[in-house]
């Protein structure tokens, strides 16, 4: 499980690098439509929100530190998004949640990782699956952030055409 935890930890430095590729004047702007609906700030807020309100509580549940997420326990993500907070702040907040996650996961015995956990928000899953899902989720949004960094001008050039398709 060390490799899985190292991978989870390393995605943060990869994410920081991806964000650094985006022009600072674009981090809070909605990208051209071909690149999605969310700004880089919104992508990072979503990653923080997911890890703070979904992944970490599910990990705590898998470890017996809390009950399953109750209906209505997760706040409305869109309702609480403060648009003016810069990307660097969301990265720092995500790093705080990851540190807490890593502190919980590092000492876990090997047998706990493959134990089925019923009633997660994804059905019956293992701790390995939950952590792998968190890694996948980070890569998914990191890819979008890199697309914003690399293809903004190209996508913007075709924007009028896309409005009519």
């Amino acid at each position: 499980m060390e490799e899985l935890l190292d991978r989870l930890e390393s995605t943060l430095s990869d994410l920081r690098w991806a964000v650094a590729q985006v022009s600072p004047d674009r981090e809070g702007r909605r990208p051209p439509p071909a690149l999605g609906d969310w700004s880089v700030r919104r992508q990072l807020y979503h990653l923080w929100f997911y890890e703070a309100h979904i992944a970490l509580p599910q990990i705590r549940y898998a470890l017996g530190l809390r009950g399953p997420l109750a209906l209505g326990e997760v706040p409305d993500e869109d309702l609480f998004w403060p648009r003016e907070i810069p990307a660097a702040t969301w990265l720092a907040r995500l790093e705080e949640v990851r540190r807490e996650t890593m502190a919980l996961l590092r000492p876990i015995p090997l047998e706990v990782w493959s134990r089925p956990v019923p009633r997660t928000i994804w059905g019956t899953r293992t701790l390995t699956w939950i952590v792998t899902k968190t890694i996948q989720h980070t890569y998914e949004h990191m890819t979008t952030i890199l697309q914003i960094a690399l293809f903004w001008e190209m996508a913007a050039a075709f924007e009028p055409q896309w409005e009519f398709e």
Side-chain angles (χ1 to χ4, degrees):
M1 287 306 121
E2 278 304 307
E3 183 180 347
L4 184 66
L5 291 175
D6 290 346
R7 189 166 308 283
L8 179 64
E9 207 166 44
S10 73
T11 59
L12 282 179
S13 60
D14 293 342
L15 184 60
R16 272 191 302 276
W17 174 81
V19 170
Q21 306 313 300
V22 177
S23 173
D25 66 314
R26 291 183 177 162
E27 78 168 34
R29 291 174 52 199
R30 186 175 177 183
L35 301 176
D37 294 327
W38 288 356
S39 68
V40 172
R41 285 182 192 170
R42 182 64 174 87
Q43 299 282 342
L44 294 170
Y45 166 75
H46 173 73
L47 283 169
W48 167 81
F49 186 94
Y50 169 81
E51 293 200 25
H53 293 284
I54 297 171
L56 185 54
Q58 292 298 274
I59 290 167
R60 286 187 179 126
Y61 170 58
L63 297 175
L65 301 173
R66 62 158 289 148
L69 281 172
L71 188 63
E73 184 177 347
V74 177
D76 183 324
E77 178 179 353
D78 293 326
L79 185 63
F80 294 103
W81 177 43
R83 290 169 169 74
E84 70 283 351
I85 295 179
T89 301
W90 290 120
L91 272 173
R93 290 180 182 179
L94 180 60
E95 288 170 352
E96 288 173 22
V97 174
R98 279 286 177 91
R99 277 193 296 276
E100 188 175 350
T101 300
M102 296 304 291
L104 281 174
L105 294 174
R106 286 272 180 215
I108 300 303
L110 191 57
E111 64 273 7
V112 173
W113 287 91
S114 58
R115 184 176 64 209
V117 181
R119 297 189 331 246
T120 74
I121 63 166
W122 309 282
T124 300
R125 301 293 181 200
T126 64
L127 189 56
T128 300
W129 190 94
I130 295 168
V131 172
T132 302
K133 169 65 180 126
T134 302
I135 293 166
Q136 174 274 324
H137 188 246
T138 304
Y139 282 136
E140 178 181 342
H141 290 279
M142 185 183 338
T143 297
T144 302
I145 290 167
L146 282 171
Q147 289 170 340
I148 289 169
L150 294 170
F151 304 121
W152 185 289
E153 287 83 8
M154 188 184 320
F158 290 102
E159 188 169 341
Q161 181 181 349
W162 290 328
E163 288 178 347
F164 302 107
E165 290 180 358

